[in-house]
Structures are given as C-alpha cells and as structure tokens.
Amino acid sequence: MIRGEHSKGRSLTRRGLKLASVVAAGALALTACSSSGHSGGVSTTVASSSSPVGGTIAPPAKVTGTLTGPGVTATTITLGQITTITGPVPGLFQGANDGLDSWAAWVNANGGIDGRQVVIKHVDDGFNCSTYRNAMEQFATTAFAVVGNFTLEDTCGKQVLAAHPDLLDLQAAVLDPTLYSIPNVYTATPNPPGAATTGLMYLKTKYPAAVSHAAELVGAAAAANGKEELLTAESIGYKYVYVRDVPDLTTNFTSEILRMKAAHVQFVDMSALAVTSDANFLQQAAQQDFHPTVLYGTSSYDAQLFKLLGGTSVANDVVWAALPYTLYLGQDRATVPAVNTFLTWMQKTRPGNTANLFAVEAWAAGQLLATAMQKAGSSITPSTVAQAIGGINSFNAEGLIASTNPGQKQGANCAVLATVQNMAWVRAYPSSGFDCSGAYHNIPIAQITG
C-alpha cells in the first residue's frame, strides 16, 4: 500500500465538512451567487416580518415563562452571531449569516419569541483571534445568547466562556473539538472526533469489491480529518491501497490518478476535499481512462458541481455523498416541510443566494434555541436555556437535519445517501427519512493528531 504522510494538526471535522472543503466552498459560493456579506466589523439585522410563502411547518411554540437576560427589551431579543466573512477567502461563511437571518425572519413573521422581534447582531471576525474574543466579550453583556457561529477562530473564545459561565454559545458548527468539554457550548449538529459509518456501510454492501481497493486524497490542512475518515472506514473492513496528502486547493491530480490506476483503485474517498477538487479529479481521470466505481465526498453535494464539470456526464452513477441533512438543494422540498420552509425563507431573505450547509446549520441552531426556550420553565434566562439544551437528547430541526443528541454532544449516525444520475442529484437511500443503521465511530484526538 502506498501512503502519504498525514501531517499533524488539530481536528476540525464536523460531519464530513473539512477545513479544505470549507475554504474552497466558501470561495466558490462567493462567485456563484450575489453576495449579501458584511464588509467587516459589526452590523445589525432586524429580520423582515413579511408573510411566508409555502412554509408548512409550525413556527416555534410560544414560551410560557418570564424572559429576562442581556439583550432582552420589551419588544426585542438580541442574539449575537460571529462568522468569518472577510480574510483570506472573502465571503467564506456568509451562508451562516443568511441561514440565521432567514430563521429570524420566519420567526418574526409569526410573532417573534414571547412577542419580541428577534434581532441578529453580526460580527465578522475577519479570521482574527482577537476580534473573535472581543466579540464574545461584548455579547456576554449585550446578547441573550451567541447563536449560529461559523468561524475558524472558535477556539479563541475559551477564556471568555470560562469567565462568563452564563454566556450561552450555541454554535452552528464546533470546529475546535476541545470546545465540547465546555459546559456552555452547544451545537445542533455535534460532531466530535470520529465519523459515522452509515454511508460507508451502505456503499460497502453495494460495492463490496470496490471498497477492498480504496484510495483517499486529503488536503494538507485537513490531514487530521482524512485520518478520521480512514480509521472509520477501516473499522468496518475497507482496505486502502493508496493514501495521499495533497497541497491545499490542488487542481491537477494526474500523478495521483496514474498511481491509483496502477493500484487498481475502485473507490476514491475525497471527503476531505472540496467540490472543486472532485470536479477536477473526475475530468482528469476520464482523460487518463481511469474510471473508479465510486467517488465519495460529502462536499460534492453542491449546486455548482455540474457547472464545474461543464456539462460532461463523468459524475453519473459514480459520485456519492452521505449527508446528515435532508436534501436541502431542493430534491426533498416537496416531501419534507422543513426543507420547503427553509428554502422559502432563504429566498425571501436572501434572493438569489444558493442554500448551503452553512445556512442549514445556522438555521438549525436557531431552532434549537427556540426549542430549549420552550423547555426552560418559568424563568427563561441564558442559564436556564443552557440547562434545557443539556436535557435535549433528540433533535432534528423539524426534519431538516438527521436526529442528533445536542444535550450529550454525541456524534450522529444517521444519513441520506445521495448520488448523481443524469447530471442531477437524487436521493438513493432511503426513499424517505434517514438511514440510521450505522454507528458513530469515536476516535481519541491523540490518535488523530499524534
């Protein structure tokens, strides 16, 4: 077996989302849609209260207790959100802002929370640790909670969280896995070090010969993530004959393709690379007459895949993704009311912008906050809401995401298998809902980075 060295580094995995994929996807999204990004610093959004069109899930139930805390007035409740927007990749996590703003618009159109309009105060940390830390310090006294953060600097809030144990940090995605040990940090989609076996098990059953001749390509910045994926696959019998770290944002995979072809690779795992890499690889593989049975990569589930492929059919019946969400690009819109509601309000709030996983997870964070506020009892404060989240062991944002256990911060094992047919994404398995037949394979951080 040929293996490239996996470089050391902290694990930034979150359910198939890899650091390299995050950066490239953010850059791609900026060119694919009109940007409503903030230019930096602090901006405030008061969500629109216009009526929804086609939304079919019920808005959050009214709270029954007395609502008090920072950011609460007689008419509004302020939530803080920190995202990386400016910096090396402008517009990187704009989708998280769009998703939380869309959730707030939907809530406000239906009376708000306890009759108060939701106000989202955005801070762009600009890929700067001090800016993130200062924003968290500010929100500790001005916002009821920090909700929907999606940033590469989340580790920089540890001191603030320790100094302000009443500050509720409900992130869209936790990228630093050490944050899971902090009591007041939660996410609707916990993904501690490790990965779900569900999608890998399905493909092993469908293509048993292919998984015994597997290969993995990993971007250097996501080396730890690639190791998580590999160890999870190997735990259920995958055999990797070629593993290689490649420079971040690699565009030419010819040398890797030739080596894979010589090693008779049939299953190519690119979960730690971006959709741009998937498209380049497929086109170059076809040029070298290399036709793997499966190209596996969660980041492939992107509206831009077919544009990147230029209309060629090389992805048909080859590209697969295991997703911990319903098919939010629209394939499940007619059958999953939460998808219809999400997409309706995304379009109303950010016309022309393409939905992405950043938006889905920020929306889900808002939904988890509302759910916990209903469960907080007679006194609804940041502390009682945090306690309520700690008791929520089953949550799916009304069906938008796979069921998770945010209270115990456990990784989820459910997924939808999607594949490409006739140059379109389709739901392959199950026909509805999620496949939960696998397990979440937890991996010690030391085993990944050591």
Side-chain angles (χ1 to χ4, degrees):
M1 175 173 63
I2 304 172
R3 287 183 185 258
E5 266 189 40
H6 282 297
S7 59
K8 296 182 180 181
R10 66 172 182 166
S11 172
L12 296 176
T13 259
R14 41 152 310 284
R15 252 213 205 109
L17 174 63
K18 313 303 177 182
L19 178 59
S21 302
V22 168
V23 175
L28 180 63
L30 192 64
T31 64
C33 59
S34 59
S35 173
S36 54
H38 306 289
S39 59
V42 180
S43 61
T44 301
T45 300
V46 179
S48 168
S49 59
S50 58
S51 300
V53 177
T56 53
I57 65 170
K62 295 184 182 302
V63 301
T64 57
T66 302
L67 180 61
T68 59
V72 177
T73 72
T75 57
T76 62
I77 176 171
T78 296
L79 306 177
Q81 184 184 35
I82 310 172
T83 49
T84 303
I85 303 297
T86 59
V89 183
L92 182 56
F93 296 137
Q94 179 62 45
N97 288 16
D98 297 345
L100 191 64
D101 283 348
S102 299
W103 171 81
W106 169 63
V107 170
N108 287 345
N110 289 278
I113 294 178
D114 193 32
R116 295 169 169 86
Q117 293 286 287
V118 178
V119 177
I120 308 297
K121 182 162 287 189
H122 299 285
V123 171
D124 166 23
D125 65 25
F127 203 11
N128 182 279
C129 184
S130 295
T131 302
Y132 183 88
R133 183 170 53 249
N134 291 339
M136 289 289 286
E137 189 73 47
Q138 170 193 343
F139 287 146
T141 57
T142 62
F144 184 84
V146 182
V147 181
N149 286 6
F150 217 128
T151 167
L152 302 176
E153 300 294 341
D154 60 349
T155 191
C156 299
K158 287 183 178 180
Q159 290 182 342
V160 177
L161 290 164
H164 299 277
D166 292 338
L167 173 60
L168 173 58
D169 184 9
L170 178 48
Q171 299 201 26
V174 175
L175 293 185
D176 176 359
T178 65
L179 290 172
Y180 284 110
S181 64
I182 298 178
N184 43 335
V185 175
Y186 290 96
T187 176
T189 55
N191 188 215
T197 64
T198 306
L200 293 165
M201 286 177 57
Y202 175 86
L203 292 173
K204 179 185 176 184
T205 301
K206 188 174 181 66
Y207 303 110
V211 303
S212 64
H213 293 82
E216 183 181 53
L217 293 180
V218 183
N225 311 130
K227 195 166 185 180
E228 290 175 84
E229 182 76 18
L230 183 145
L231 291 172
T232 299
E234 288 184 335
S235 76
I236 59 170
Y238 276 62
K239 305 296 182 184
Y240 284 80
V241 298
Y242 183 83
V243 178
R244 186 79 172 178
D245 288 1
V246 297
D248 292 327
L249 306 182
T250 293
T251 58
N252 190 329
F253 295 95
T254 302
S255 61
E256 286 78 19
I257 288 167
L258 293 175
R259 292 186 179 97
M260 289 185 196
K261 186 176 180 180
H264 306 290
V265 167
Q266 298 179 43
F267 183 102
V268 182
D269 188 339
M270 297 182 66
S271 296
L273 289 171
V275 63
T276 47
S277 298
D278 299 338
N280 287 330
F281 181 90
L282 285 167
Q283 291 171 320
Q284 293 160 21
Q287 293 168 3
Q288 298 299 326
D289 196 28
F290 174 54
H291 304 284
T293 304
V294 175
L295 186 145
Y296 182 65
T298 302
S299 59
S300 296
Y301 183 71
D302 190 293
Q304 304 308 310
L305 176 64
F306 310 115
K307 294 179 181 179
L308 291 166
L309 290 175
T312 61
S313 60
V314 292
N316 287 342
D317 303 310
V318 174
V319 177
W320 287 81
L323 304 165
Y325 325 97
T326 47
L327 301 187
Y328 57 80
L329 292 179
Q331 294 83 6
D332 282 346
R333 185 169 193 167
T335 56
V336 181
V339 174
N340 188 40
T341 304
F342 165 72
L343 291 176
T344 296
W345 282 94
M346 277 287 293
Q347 182 59 32
K348 291 171 70 69
T349 308
R350 295 288 188 268
N353 280 20
T354 302
N356 57 34
L357 58 87
F358 312 140
V360 169
E361 295 203 341
W363 176 290
Q367 281 285 75
L368 181 57
L369 175 72
T371 299
M373 292 177 78
Q374 297 158 25
K375 297 178 179 294
S378 60
S379 176
I380 304 174
T381 67
S383 292
T384 61
V385 172
Q387 292 171 8
I389 295 175
I392 297 175
N393 299 325
S394 180
F395 176 78
N396 66 4
E398 302 299 322
L400 184 63
I401 63 175
S403 182
T404 67
N405 186 338
Q408 297 182 23
K409 306 179 185 181
Q410 294 178 352
N413 63 307
C414 299
V416 173
L417 275 295
T419 191
V420 174
Q421 295 177 358
N422 300 319
M423 294 301 288
W425 280 103
V426 298
R427 173 184 276 266
Y429 185 82
S431 58
S432 62
F434 292 88
D435 175 15
C436 300
S437 60
Y440 194 88
H441 183 67
N442 291 290
I443 301 172
I445 292 179
Q447 190 175 353
I448 300 166
T449 61

